[in-house]
Amino acid sequence: PSREEYYPPAQPTIILQSPPEPEPEEASASHAGRITAIVMAVLLFLGLGGYCAYRFLTPYLQYQKALQAQAAGNYEQAVELFEGLGDYKDSLDQIDETMLQKALHLMAEGNYQQALDLFETLENTDNYKADCLYALGVLAYNDKDPDKAMTYVAKLEERFPDYEKTAELRSYCAYSLGNRTAAQADEETDIPMQMSLWQEAMDWFTKAGAYSDSAERVTSCRYHIALLQREQGQLLEAIDSFAALAGYQDADAYRRDCMLSYAKQHIENTDERTVQFLTELADFGSQEAQSLLDRLNGKGFSFHITLGPTDNSGRVQQVTDLSEIYIQYQVEQSDENGAVLVLVL
C-alpha cells in the first residue's frame, strides 16, 4: 500500500481554551467599591439638591406667595403663610404689617370699631386709634346721639389728651346736650329740679367753649338760676348771681330788690350785710333804703299822717321807733334834714 493508505488525512485539531484565571480578590473588591462610590455620590448629590430645594427654594416661594396675598388684600391667607415661615427673613414683622394693612383697610371702609380692635393689638398705632375713636364719636353725633358721642370724647380725653380734633367734637356734643337740657328746664314745674336742669345746661354750654352762641347761652342759664333763687328766697345766692350778670336784661334791678328784701328781713337783727346793702342802695338813691339806714343809726324823724281821703289837714307825729312803720307803710320821701315823710295808706 501506498503511503497515503497508511497515513489517513489529518483530523481537525480541537483546541480547548482553558477558562480565564480568576482575578485576584482585592482587585474585584476595588472595582465594586468604585461603583458603589459613584452611586453614593449620585445619591448624595440628588439628596443635597433636594434638601437645598426644600430648605431654600420652598420658603422663598412661600414668602413671595405671602407677599402677593398681602398686596391683594388676602390678609388672612398672608398671615397664615407668614406664620408658617417662622423666623424666615422678616416674616414675623410682615405679620404685623399685614394686620396693620387690614386695619387700615377696615378703617377706609368705615368699619371703625373693627379697625380699632385690630389697632389695639399693634404697637405704635396711637394716632390710628385716636382717629377711630373720633370717627365713632362723629357717627354717633350725626345719628343724633350726643350722649354716646360724649363717651368717645371722654375716651379721647383720657387716652389721647393731645389729640387735636377732640375739642371740636366736644363742643358740638356739649352744645347739643345744653340745648336739650335747657328745653327740659323750660318745661319743668318743680323749682328745685328746674334749677338743677338750668345748672346742668349751663355746665354743658360752658364745655362747648366758643362754639356758636355758647357764651350767651351760659349767661341765659345764669339768669334763670338767679330768678329761681330769688323765687325760692335764696336772697344771698340770688344777689351774687345777679351781680355776675351785671348789665344783662334787668339783672341789676333784681339784685337791688333782693338786697332790700334781705335788709328788711334782718332789720331787727342787723348783720354786716344789712348795713352794706342799705348803704349801697342809699347811695344809689333808694329812699326806702336810706330810711332803714337812718333807723339803724338811731335817728328820730317825723311823719305826716293823712287821716282820710277828704281830710287834708293831717298831723305831724314825732317817732323814734320805726319797727312797725317801715314794715306797714310806704315811704314817700325824705327832706333835706333827713326827716322821713310817711304816707299812711
Side-chain angles (χ1 to χ4, degrees):
S2 64
R3 184 178 179 83
E4 287 80 8
E5 290 177 352
Y6 289 100
Y7 299 95
Q11 294 296 317
T13 300
I14 298 175
I15 300 176
L16 296 177
Q17 296 184 357
S18 59
E21 295 181 5
E23 295 181 3
E25 192 172 321
E26 292 140 355
S28 177
S30 174
H31 179 70
R34 284 197 299 272
I35 294 175
T36 302
I38 292 171
V39 172
M40 291 299 294
V42 171
L43 292 176
L44 179 62
F45 176 78
L46 293 175
L48 287 174
Y51 174 77
C52 291
Y54 172 78
R55 178 68 179 81
F56 299 106
L57 183 58
T58 300
Y60 172 79
L61 294 176
Q62 183 172 335
Y63 182 83
Q64 296 301 318
K65 184 178 180 181
L67 289 178
Q68 293 173 1
Q70 182 191 85
N74 299 323
Y75 304 113
E76 288 77 8
Q77 181 186 7
V79 168
E80 183 179 354
L81 290 170
F82 282 127
E83 287 178 342
L85 288 168
D87 59 354
Y88 178 76
K89 287 189 175 183
D90 62 344
S91 295
L92 297 178
D93 292 335
Q94 286 295 339
I95 292 174
D96 288 343
E97 178 63 25
T98 303
M99 299 302 290
L100 175 62
Q101 291 188 25
K102 180 179 180 180
L104 291 173
H105 179 74
L106 290 169
M107 189 176 177
E109 289 187 334
N111 298 318
Y112 299 109
Q113 186 58 58
Q114 295 180 44
L116 178 61
D117 293 340
L118 276 180
F119 286 131
E120 294 289 5
T121 67
L122 301 172
E123 297 181 353
N124 302 319
T125 57
D126 282 356
N127 288 339
Y128 295 128
K129 296 173 189 174
D131 285 339
C132 286
L133 287 172
Y134 173 78
L136 289 168
V138 171
L139 289 176
Y141 177 80
N142 290 340
D143 288 339
K144 302 186 186 306
D145 191 350
D147 295 288
K148 183 177 180 180
M150 281 300 292
T151 63
Y152 291 109
V153 170
K155 292 179 181 179
L156 284 168
E157 291 175 336
E158 178 183 357
R159 298 184 59 186
F160 311 107
D162 297 328
Y163 188 68
E164 295 179 353
K165 296 181 181 179
T166 304
E168 180 184 37
L169 181 58
R170 178 178 58 243
S171 295
Y172 294 156
C173 296
Y175 188 84
S176 296
L177 290 169
N179 276 334
R180 186 184 71 184
T181 309
Q184 293 172 346
D186 273 332
E187 297 176 357
E188 183 60 55
T189 56
D190 180 73
I191 292 180
M193 178 59 69
Q194 189 179 17
M195 190 180 299
S196 176
L197 288 170
W198 281 118
Q199 181 64 53
E200 181 182 348
M202 184 177 71
D203 292 341
W204 282 125
F205 286 126
T206 301
K207 289 182 179 179
Y211 177 70
S212 188
D213 61 342
S214 296
E216 182 178 345
R217 300 299 300 276
V218 168
T219 302
S220 175
C221 291
R222 290 185 184 277
Y223 182 74
H224 283 90
I225 291 172
L227 290 176
L228 291 173
Q229 288 171 335
R230 174 176 176 269
E231 186 175 348
Q232 286 286 90
Q234 301 172 8
L235 297 177
L236 290 178
E237 292 84 351
I239 290 169
D240 291 339
S241 297
F242 285 125
L245 294 164
Y248 181 77
Q249 295 189 15
D250 51 1
D252 293 335
Y254 276 124
R255 175 175 175 269
R256 291 191 295 271
D257 178 72
C258 290
M259 291 167 66
L260 186 59
S261 296
Y262 180 90
K264 287 180 177 180
Q265 290 179 10
H266 296 78
I267 195 67
E268 295 300 323
N269 189 15
T270 306
D271 58 13
E272 184 178 348
R273 288 193 183 91
T274 301
V275 178
Q276 175 188 339
F277 292 160
L278 290 176
T279 301
E280 181 180 339
L281 291 170
D283 292 342
F284 183 77
S286 169
Q287 296 179 3
E288 187 171 5
Q290 183 63 61
S291 300
L292 290 172
L293 197 59
D294 287 342
R295 172 185 173 182
L296 292 177
N297 293 333
K299 291 185 178 179
F301 62 93
S302 60
F303 64 96
H304 183 267
I305 298 177
T306 300
L307 300 178
T310 59
D311 184 351
N312 295 323
S313 60
R315 59 188 177 86
V316 176
Q317 179 174 343
Q318 186 69 24
V319 177
T320 57
D321 184 2
L322 302 180
S323 57
E324 294 299 327
I325 295 176
Y326 273 86
I327 299 301
Q328 298 180 12
Y329 303 111
Q330 174 183 347
V331 176
E332 187 178 71
Q333 64 182 14
S334 299
D335 60 23
E336 64 276 7
N337 297 319
V340 179
L341 305 179
V342 180
L343 177 64
V344 179
L345 301 179

